[in-house]
Amino acid sequence: MPENNVNADQSLRHDWTVGEVEALYNLPFADLMYRAQTVHRENFDPNSVQVSTLLSIKTGGCAEDCGYCPQSAHHESAVKAEPLMPLDKVLENAAQAKETGASRFCMGAAWRNLKDRDLERVADMVSGVKDMGLETCVTLGMLEEHQAKRLKEAGLDYYNHNLDTSPEFYGDIISTRTYQDRLDTLEHVRDNNIHVCSGGIVGMGESEQDRAGLLISLANLPSHPESVPINLLVKVEGTPLADHDDIDQLEFVRTIAVARLMMPKSFVRLSAGRESMSDELQAMCFLAGANSIFYGEKLLTTDNPDTDHDQQLFRRLGINTEMGEHSAPVKEACSH
Ligand code: SAM
Ligand code: DTB
Ligand code: SF4
C-alpha cells in the first residue's frame, strides 16, 4: 500500500474564498456538471466507484448532542444503547462485507471520543479486518495523538471524522464539542499518516453559504481529505431535525459537483441518504463526480439500499466497483 504522499501535487488549491465557491454553485447547471465531469475524468476512471461497508460496533447512548443523530443520548429516538461488539462478531460482519464486494470496512462507534480502556479492543478489530485483505476505516469521535499512533500500527488506513457543516452554522446543530475539537482530531490523524475521511451533511437547514463554508473548511485544510463524504440528512424520528424541509435535490447534486471541483483528487462519497434517492438522482451524483458509496443494507443505525438493488444500478450504469482507493489511478491529496 503506498503511503500517504501529502505533498504530491502543487496544483491543488487551499485558498478558496466564499465568493469563488458561491460563483461555482451559481453556474448554470449544465456548465457546472460539465466542469465537474471534466475534472473528474482528468483524475479518475469515470466508471469506477469505490465501495465501503459500515458496521456500528458501539451503538447508541452517545454523550454528544448532534441534532441530526439518532444515537445521541440527548434525543428520544428508537435506538437503544448497546455495549462494544465482540471481536468475533465484527470479523464475521467484515467477512460478509468482503464476500458481498466491499473493498473497505468502516467501523463506527457512538462515542464522544475514544477512551484508552477501549483502544486495544478497537486495535484488535482493525488488525483482524486488515488481515482479511480489506482496507480499514474507523470513526470513533475525537482521537488523541497516541491513540492515532496505536491505530496506525494496528493497520488503520482511514479515519472518518466529519466537520459536518460550516463553522458559522455548526453551533446551531451541536453544542457539546467545538469545530476546533474536530480540526484537532483531523490533525492527529494526518500527523500519523492515516488517510483522512472528512465531509459533512447537507439538508439540515443550512444556507448555500454554509454549504460553501463546509467545502472551504475541507479544501483549505493543509491537505485535502482523501475521502469526502457528502451525507444527505437522514431524518430520524425523535431527533431535533426530524421534521426538516427537504433540500432541493439539484442543490445536493451541485454540492457534489462543487466538492469535485474544489478537491479534484479526493474521493467524493455519496454517503447517507441514498435510501431516499431515486436511481436517476444517484446517477446524476455520479456524473457530478461522486465516486464512492456506502454499500450494505445498513449505514450505522438507518437503512441503506439493498445490495441487490445497488448491483443492479451499477450494471445499468456500467459502473465497476473492483477497486480500493489505494489502487486508484490518481489518489494523493496534497499539502502545501
Ligand atoms: N460518533 C462519532 C462522531 O460523530 O465523530 C462517529 C460516528 S457518527 C454517527 C459519523 C457521522 O455520521 C457524523 O459525523 C455525521 O456526519 C453522520 N451522520 C450521523 N447521523 C446522520 C444522519 N441522520 N444523516 C446523515 N448523516 C448522519
Ligand atoms: C459518514 O460521513 N456517514 C456515515 C459514516 N460517515 C460513518 C454515517 C451515516 C450515518 C447515518 C445515520 C445512521 O445510520 O445512524
Ligand atoms: Fe455521538 Fe457521533 Fe452521533 Fe454525534 S454523530 S451524537 S458524536 S454518535
Side-chain angles (χ1 to χ4, degrees):
M1 178 188 95
E3 284 304 300
N4 221 2
N5 178 359
V6 291
N7 292 298
D9 191 337
Q10 296 294 314
S11 70
L12 297 184
R13 286 189 50 193
H14 300 270
D15 57 356
W16 291 92
T17 64
V18 179
E20 281 176 316
V21 178
E22 287 197 322
L24 290 176
Y25 260 105
N26 291 324
L27 282 170
F29 190 72
D31 291 345
L32 176 60
M33 292 293 274
Y34 178 73
R35 284 179 61 170
Q37 178 65 198
T38 304
V39 164
H40 189 48
R41 281 171 183 268
E42 282 165 8
N43 292 288
F44 290 100
D45 172 353
N47 302 310
S48 283
V49 168
Q50 187 275 333
V51 296
S52 297
T53 294
L54 273 171
L55 175 69
S56 180
I57 58 168
K58 159 68 188 88
T59 303
C62 185
E64 300 283 323
D65 68 352
C66 312
Y68 46 75
C69 186
Q71 304 203 68
S72 166
H74 298 255
H75 317 320
E76 301 282 330
S77 83
V79 174
K80 296 283 161 276
E82 291 171 22
L84 184 60
M85 197 180 267
L87 177 64
D88 57 346
K89 207 167 161 206
V90 173
L91 297 183
E92 230 171 77
N93 277 273
Q96 167 129 43
K98 189 176 178 191
E99 176 83 23
T100 327
S103 60
R104 186 178 314 152
F105 193 63
C106 179
M107 295 163 270
W111 285 327
R112 167 174 166 74
N113 60 296
L114 174 60
K115 309 270 184 343
D116 280 341
R117 63 166 185 263
D118 296 314
L119 179 57
E120 287 310 312
R121 284 182 67 190
V122 175
D124 286 348
M125 293 176 191
V126 169
S127 48
V129 171
K130 185 78 175 168
D131 288 346
M132 288 178 171
L134 284 160
E135 291 177 346
T136 55
C137 173
V138 291
T139 177
L140 314 167
M142 292 182 287
L143 202 62
E144 291 172 42
E145 181 79 47
H146 69 282
Q147 298 172 328
K149 184 165 181 285
R150 176 68 190 102
L151 293 174
K152 173 71 181 177
E153 278 165 14
L156 186 64
D157 296 311
Y158 288 82
Y159 196 85
N160 168 241
H161 196 62
N162 291 337
L163 295 180
D164 278 347
T165 189
S166 68
E168 295 75 21
F169 189 61
Y170 182 87
D172 287 24
I173 303 296
I174 299 146
S175 77
T176 47
R177 73 177 156 205
T178 66
Y179 214 74
Q180 188 58 47
D181 288 334
R182 292 185 184 244
L183 293 169
D184 291 347
T185 289
L186 293 183
E187 196 176 317
H188 298 149
V189 171
R190 178 65 78 197
D191 285 350
N192 283 281
N193 286 319
I194 299 167
H195 295 299
V196 171
C197 172
S198 187
I201 309 178
V202 172
M204 299 192 293
E206 75 286 343
S207 65
E208 188 176 273
Q209 198 168 346
D210 291 315
R211 290 188 277 279
L214 165 68
L215 295 179
I216 288 171
S217 296
L218 294 166
N220 289 357
L221 286 169
S223 309
H224 292 175
E226 278 79 5
S227 170
V228 180
I230 305 293
N231 295 277
L232 177 63
L233 175 70
V234 180
K235 295 186 225 173
V236 185
E237 221 181 295
T239 62
L241 300 183
D243 299 320
H244 233 285
D245 289 345
D246 286 340
I247 187 188
D248 173 0
Q249 295 185 334
L250 294 181
E251 187 66 15
F252 183 81
V253 180
R254 282 181 184 272
T255 302
I256 301 264
V258 175
R260 167 52 64 229
L261 286 168
M262 294 172 70
M263 293 168 278
K265 293 181 193 271
S266 302
F267 279 74
V268 176
R269 184 178 300 274
L270 172 56
S271 302
R274 289 197 303 117
E275 174 73 354
S276 69
M277 293 179 197
S278 68
D279 287 355
E280 291 75 14
L281 176 58
Q282 292 182 62
M284 218 184 286
C285 292
F286 294 132
L287 276 176
N291 61 348
S292 65
I293 59 161
F294 287 118
Y295 173 73
E297 280 147 33
K298 254 208 164 24
L299 290 164
L300 291 171
T301 65
T302 64
D303 290 341
N304 202 33
D306 292 346
T307 49
D308 284 352
H309 188 98
D310 277 344
Q311 281 172 11
Q312 195 188 9
L313 177 61
F314 294 149
R315 273 196 298 276
R316 287 170 71 203
L317 299 175
I319 283 175
N320 72 72
T321 58
E322 301 297 312
M323 78 173 178
E325 287 185 17
H326 295 114
S327 55
V330 187
K331 90 170 186 53
E332 265 79 27
C334 132
S335 154
H336 54 90

